[in-house]
Amino acid sequence: MARYARVKGSIALITLTNPPVNALSAAVRRGIVESVSRALKDEQVKAVVFCGENEKFCGGADIKEFSGSMSGPPLVPMIHSIEAGEKPMVAAIEGVALGGGLELALGCHYRVANTKARLGLPEVTLGLLPAAGGTQRLPRLIGIPAALELITTGRHVSAQEALQLGIVDQVAQGSAVQAAMELALSVIGVCVCMLCVYVVCVCIYCVCVTGQPLNPRRLSLRAPVWAPDVDGVCDAALAQVKQRSRGAMAPVACVQAVRAAAMLPYSKGMERERQLMDTLFRSGQARAMQYAFFAQRNAGKWSLPNGSQWNNTRARDVQRAGVIGLGTMGRGIAVSLVKAGISVVAIEMDAKQLESGKKAVTAMLQRDAQRRGVSPPLHLLTFTLSFHQLRDVDLVIEAVFEDMNLKKRVFSDLCKVLRANALICTNTSGLNVDELAAVTDRQPLVVGMHFFAPAHVMKLLEVVYGSRSSPEAVATAMALGKRMEKVCVAVGNCSGFVGNRMLKLYLDQSVYMLEEGATPEQVDQALEEFGFAMGIFKVSDLSGLDVGWRVRKASGLIGPDVDPVKPSRWRLGRRYCPLPDMLCQQGRFGQKTGRGWYLYDSPGSKEAKSDPEIQTFLEDYRRKYGIIPRRITSQEVIERCAFALANEGFRILEDRIAASPEDIDVIYLFGYGWPRHRGGPMFYAGQVGLSVVLEKLEHYHRVHPDVPSLEPSRLLRRLVAEGSPPIQQWKSHIKNLRSHL
Ligand SMILES: CCC/C=C/C(=O)SCCNC(=O)CCNC(=O)[C@H](O)C(C)(C)COP(=O)([O-])OP(=O)([O-])OC[C@H]1O[C@@H](n2cnc3c(N)ncnc32)[C@H](O)[C@@H]1OP(=O)([O-])[O-]
């Protein structure tokens, strides 16, 4: 779908029409090919302008088409025929020009962008490379280093930056289409300043350049962009992406393709681009990353078991919010709210805490504003010790210490001062939202908003609906989270919700492997090679080992009846590993104390070093319990961690705590550092093969019968029995299963 119109007498205006982002579907490509051919044949037409409907140029190739068999005119020859066209072609970029959209614009002879436009080649984030000539044309336009940076990160740039880089020729304050038409007219020799009467080469009044030859504008005709230091630049980029991408193939292929633009003529470079793309396109990594793209968008389309959902429930407008508690979480939440333009009343219990919270929040906002070259919105903040200041807020987010009694006290105090229709949200990471709601006078207006630390940085937000939460409260929390630029997932209420409920089993497996013979370094290395940004023991040190210790004490797993010399490895009817408790007893709380599973130069420093004391500690422990250490392979580490996660994910689906496997994967991708090129734990299980996962879990459960969580879930068994359907169909196999709602 592309609309053709002749405007201003001599310009063909080709408008891409495929809402919402004018993706280059087969129909759009067909429309473009037909329109270009019509424009080239029409003698009245002297120049062509491309634009997109609804002020969005083009969001790139239609990603939905990647999973089926491709039909319609291919992108590469289509763009080539635009570039080769004998009439000037101008791209009028409004909204976005991404991926194939920017590659189409690079095939044009001129590019004009509106000030608000964003441009980029984000294919790398989909496990691909810009294979419609992007890796060959962009370096020829802006040079190797800049092209490498844009293509390997997939970063979007503003129109202004695009102008500085040389990607666009002009930035228009108003309509880019209007500006592109004026540029087109000037290029074909019609000066638009109305002062000159002749068709000229350079109009002396407005200095527009007319009658330009097209060959210098055809990027494919430019020679390779070789420079003496090009090898070094590409080698450095390769080393950097290998380190950053942790096993993802696409960034490496992007560097290889751009290197070809430096060494090879355009046609050979295109061959290289195609070969690399073929490899990526067939890879499981590209499928995983495209799945993640749609899973992220689907998470916003929440639904509750009572039929309420994102498109039939209105969210309330939130102008003023309260934040209770200015610890690490409260500070990050306050910063995110203020950045979203919401007035915040921030409360602490004592003056000292309030002062240090105020300093920290102010500093974070100042740093952020400085980076963006704006002034910090400090006028939106009120710091106070008085709950009375909350009387006219629309919503409160409680972020006090993770203690049920304390939270209950805060909730009932809030009811005394808040307006009757104000929402109360809790940032608990796993406590029962219903139990908290029960102490209030407004159970339908209570929901969980579980942020992840640091809350102003981490993208994930679990919105937890209790059994009495109203759809309107859920809609409001989801909309507020989106305004705070979070990826929001609606989840049901159970201990740990989705993310932390699964995390517990992953942590359990990791420490069991230490008992059996592994070291923290071995486990972490296997996980990092798999693609996690950080191994589980490094993450635990970063978050603080005392957090879990306190939770275990509160839940009765640690008490006075536990033998301090030889603590039991069997509690509440199952295997228990006391190693983390023993570390905490020694004051090893992780980074904050300079010692945890690793050693740090000083408290608070970040570089984890192996600690010989931990090796001795583990050896003594195994000796004490008569455990004969064995070699644990990386494969076993990954299987036990990843399959334990997925197995609990299946149980979460059975319990209807998550609406879909995609939601679980989004939680792991955005909250727990799961590598994007592996889709998420549920996608990974499907990719490995459900029958393989089942077989492995059966094996590990046989070997560890005292770990009931390793027993394969009912849903996994059912899916395997029904022929391992694709992940999109799992939901329909969850029948007659208990709901927590
Ligand atoms: C040889 C090949 C070489 C070329 C390769 C490529 O070009 S690869 C592509 C390179 N391009 C990219 O990687 C760009 C990917 N897109 C984006 O980054 C963003 O969508 C955005 C910035 C364009 C708009 O952000 P926003 O927050 O305003 O909106 P939103 O994100 O919520 O999306 C709205 C709806 O549009 C849908 N949809 C979007 N794009 C595509 C697409 N290309 N295709 C299909 N669908 C697409 C999206 O699923 C959603 O659908 P729903 O849920 O309503 O049914």
Side-chain angles (χ1 to χ4, degrees):
M1 294 153 297
R3 210 171 39 237
Y4 181 94
R6 185 138 64 77
V7 291
K8 299 200 186 269
S10 54
I11 293 178
L13 181 65
I14 300 176
T15 309
L16 278 54
T17 56
N18 184 16
V21 301
N22 299 319
L24 294 162
S25 63
V28 172
R29 298 195 304 274
R30 201 168 297 116
I32 294 175
V33 168
E34 284 165 11
S35 302
V36 169
S37 148
R38 186 170 161 188
L40 290 175
K41 278 187 204 136
D42 186 342
E43 286 185 2
Q44 305 289 316
V45 169
K46 304 291 180 220
V48 182
V49 169
F50 292 87
C51 66
E53 196 166 59
N54 295 334
E55 297 176 6
K56 279 202 181 109
F57 183 70
C58 177
D62 187 339
I63 305 166
K64 288 188 205 91
E65 285 185 353
F66 291 167
S67 53
S69 57
M70 304 280 268
S71 63
L75 211 46
V76 171
M78 182 192 92
I79 295 175
H80 189 73
S81 71
I82 291 171
E83 191 193 57
E86 281 308 327
K87 298 178 182 177
M89 309 273 173
V90 186
I93 300 169
E94 307 201 298
V96 286
L98 298 174
L102 180 55
E103 292 175 290
L104 165 65
L106 291 173
C108 292
H109 308 120
Y110 297 90
R111 288 158 291 280
V112 177
N114 168 265
T115 38
K116 294 198 181 119
R118 284 186 293 145
L119 299 87
L121 293 174
E123 285 87 340
V124 71
T125 63
L126 297 166
L128 302 173
L129 52 75
T135 67
Q136 303 306 299
R137 284 197 180 92
L138 190 66
R140 284 173 164 80
L141 184 63
I142 65 171
I144 296 287
L148 272 173
E149 195 269 324
L150 287 189
I151 293 174
T152 57
T153 60
R155 183 169 75 84
H156 300 182
V157 296
S158 66
Q160 206 49 48
E161 189 179 350
L163 183 68
Q164 278 157 12
L165 286 168
I167 300 176
V168 297
D169 303 289
Q170 232 182 66
V171 173
Q173 292 297 326
S175 158
V177 181
Q178 204 55 41
M181 289 196 292
E182 284 173 13
L183 177 71
L185 287 173
S186 91
V187 169
I188 58 179
V190 181
C191 174
V192 289
C193 80
M194 317 288 272
L195 292 173
C196 68
V197 286
Y198 303 107
V199 172
V200 289
C201 272
V202 179
C203 163
I204 55 164
Y205 295 104
C206 71
V207 209
C208 74
V209 183
T210 63
Q212 286 267 8
L214 290 179
N215 267 357
R217 311 292 311 180
R218 293 188 172 111
L219 298 175
S220 71
L221 298 185
R222 295 192 185 171
V225 226
W226 191 85
D229 62 343
V230 91
D231 260 334
V233 170
C234 290
D235 287 346
L238 197 60
Q240 194 187 33
V241 298
K242 278 188 175 161
Q243 201 219 356
R244 203 176 50 205
S245 57
R246 308 187 311 269
M249 294 156 61
V252 174
C254 286
V255 177
Q256 290 166 335
V258 173
R259 190 193 284 265
M263 310 286 176
L264 303 174
Y266 178 78
S267 60
K268 293 276 176 216
M270 285 300 285
E271 250 174 61
R272 184 83 181 113
E273 182 187 272
R274 188 178 44 74
Q275 287 160 355
L276 289 162
M277 177 67 161
D278 284 350
T279 311
L280 293 179
F281 203 77
R282 282 196 304 270
S283 74
Q285 293 197 359
R287 276 195 296 281
M289 293 175 92
Q290 287 151 31
Y291 160 85
F293 175 85
F294 289 113
Q296 179 183 345
R297 276 147 189 90
N298 286 340
K301 296 174 186 161
W302 56 273
S303 62
L304 304 185
N306 66 8
S308 307
Q309 53 186 45
W310 64 284
N311 54 0
N312 65 13
T313 312
R314 260 186 65 174
R316 290 226 211 126
D317 185 29
V318 177
Q319 297 289 342
R320 284 174 65 79
V323 174
I324 317 290
L326 285 177
T328 314
M329 293 308 294
R331 292 172 187 186
I333 294 168
V335 168
S336 300
L337 284 165
V338 168
K339 280 175 66 184
I342 294 161
S343 296
V344 171
V345 178
I347 303 235
E348 250 303 342
M349 305 301 163
D350 78 73
K352 207 169 144 210
Q353 295 282 14
L354 185 71
E355 196 45 40
S356 84
K358 181 177 176 178
K359 264 197 199 135
V361 170
T362 308
M364 283 194 264
L365 284 168
Q366 278 167 335
R367 268 198 307 274
D368 177 73
Q370 196 177 19
R371 199 168 39 80
R372 293 188 295 132
V374 293
S375 48
L378 299 178
H379 62 284
L380 293 174
L381 274 163
T382 306
F383 294 92
T384 177
L385 295 172
S386 162
F387 265 43
H388 288 285
Q389 299 251 19
L390 295 169
R391 60 190 169 270
D392 58 354
V393 299
D394 305 303
L395 166 151
V396 164
I397 302 175
E398 162 279 305
V400 301
F401 210 55
E402 192 72 349
D403 175 317
M404 181 56 100
N405 289 329
L406 173 63
K407 284 184 192 281
K408 280 182 178 171
R409 259 198 323 276
V410 169
F411 269 46
S412 48
D413 287 350
L414 282 171
C415 292
K416 293 176 199 148
V417 292
L418 291 180
R419 282 198 325 241
N421 62 351
L423 262 69
I424 306 184
C425 309
T426 171
N427 176 50
T428 175
S429 57
L431 297 177
N432 188 338
V433 173
D434 285 338
E435 198 178 327
L436 282 169
V439 304
T440 71
D441 55 1
R442 59 191 78 200
Q443 296 197 43
L445 297 184
V446 176
V447 286
M449 285 183 84
H450 177 208
F451 292 86
F452 289 72
H456 60 300
V457 176
M458 293 292 284
K459 282 275 171 210
L460 180 65
L461 174 67
E462 282 183 321
V463 171
V464 188
Y465 49 92
S467 57
R468 304 279 306 274
S469 304
S470 69
E472 191 193 20
V474 176
T476 305
M478 291 291 284
L480 178 62
K482 194 169 174 197
R483 227 171 122 190
M484 294 162 83
E485 298 188 356
K486 302 294 173 198
V487 176
C488 310
V489 186
V491 298
N493 181 30
C494 68
S495 175
F497 316 130
V498 171
N500 284 347
R501 172 170 159 179
M502 288 166 68
L503 181 71
K504 185 183 172 309
L505 305 181
Y506 167 37
L507 276 166
D508 282 352
Q509 287 305 318
S510 313
V511 286
Y512 295 159
M513 286 187 274
L514 295 191
E515 290 183 313
E516 292 163 34
T519 62
E521 291 82 352
Q522 278 167 359
V523 173
D524 278 357
Q525 192 186 338
L527 292 167
E528 285 164 18
E529 279 167 7
F530 180 76
F532 277 97
M534 262 184 171
I536 186 79
F537 291 109
K538 286 188 192 144
V539 173
S540 303
D541 274 0
L542 174 69
S543 334
L545 303 181
D546 52 324
V547 181
W549 194 34
R550 227 178 294 120
V551 173
R552 291 191 294 279
K553 277 182 186 164
S555 64
L557 277 161
I558 309 169
D561 51 336
V562 174
D563 179 349
V565 182
K566 195 178 173 194
S568 168
R569 293 181 57 228
W570 178 264
R571 292 182 210 180
L572 301 181
R574 61 195 63 181
R575 177 172 172 182
Y576 181 85
C577 172
L579 281 169
D581 304 335
M582 294 163 86
L583 239 56
C584 287
Q585 276 156 7
Q586 298 170 26
R588 298 188 74 119
F589 292 165
Q591 281 187 10
K592 63 175 111 171
T593 55
R595 295 182 324 151
W597 294 110
Y598 292 91
L599 191 62
Y600 301 85
D601 281 341
S602 58
S605 75
K606 295 196 182 327
E607 199 196 332
K609 294 181 179 160
S610 292
D611 186 351
E613 263 185 37
I614 286 287
Q615 315 303 328
T616 317
F617 165 69
L618 289 173
E619 280 159 17
D620 288 349
Y621 175 88
R622 293 180 198 121
R623 244 191 321 273
K624 185 164 20 174
Y625 290 92
I627 301 168
I628 298 163
R630 64 184 178 85
R631 188 174 160 265
I632 295 186
T633 62
S634 293
Q635 186 187 347
E636 179 172 345
V637 172
I638 299 305
E639 285 176 357
R640 285 176 64 179
C641 292
F643 298 164
L645 277 173
N647 200 30
E648 193 59 15
F650 285 117
R651 288 199 191 95
I652 282 172
L653 289 172
E654 287 173 9
D655 294 348
R656 312 274 171 101
I657 293 294
S660 67
E662 285 96 332
D663 280 2
I664 297 176
D665 284 338
V666 169
I667 287 171
Y668 263 76
L669 287 170
F670 288 94
Y672 295 86
W674 182 278
R676 201 172 168 88
H677 62 273
R678 296 198 189 266
M682 308 314 286
F683 181 87
Y684 181 67
Q687 204 168 43
V688 169
L690 296 184
S691 52
V692 175
V693 176
L694 175 60
E695 201 181 293
K696 292 284 181 184
L697 281 168
E698 279 170 338
H699 162 77
Y700 288 121
H701 188 229
R702 251 193 323 273
V703 179
H704 307 282
D706 50 357
V707 184
S709 60
L710 284 174
E711 183 177 1
S713 65
R714 280 188 302 156
L715 179 57
L716 173 60
R717 286 190 189 285
R718 179 180 297 179
L719 289 170
V720 172
E722 290 175 12
S724 300
I727 192 163
Q728 291 77 8
Q729 291 171 23
W730 293 0
K731 248 164 63 169
S732 60
H733 292 259
I734 310 165
K735 290 177 202 138
N736 310 320
L737 292 166
R738 176 170 55 98
S739 168
H740 272 222
L741 303 162

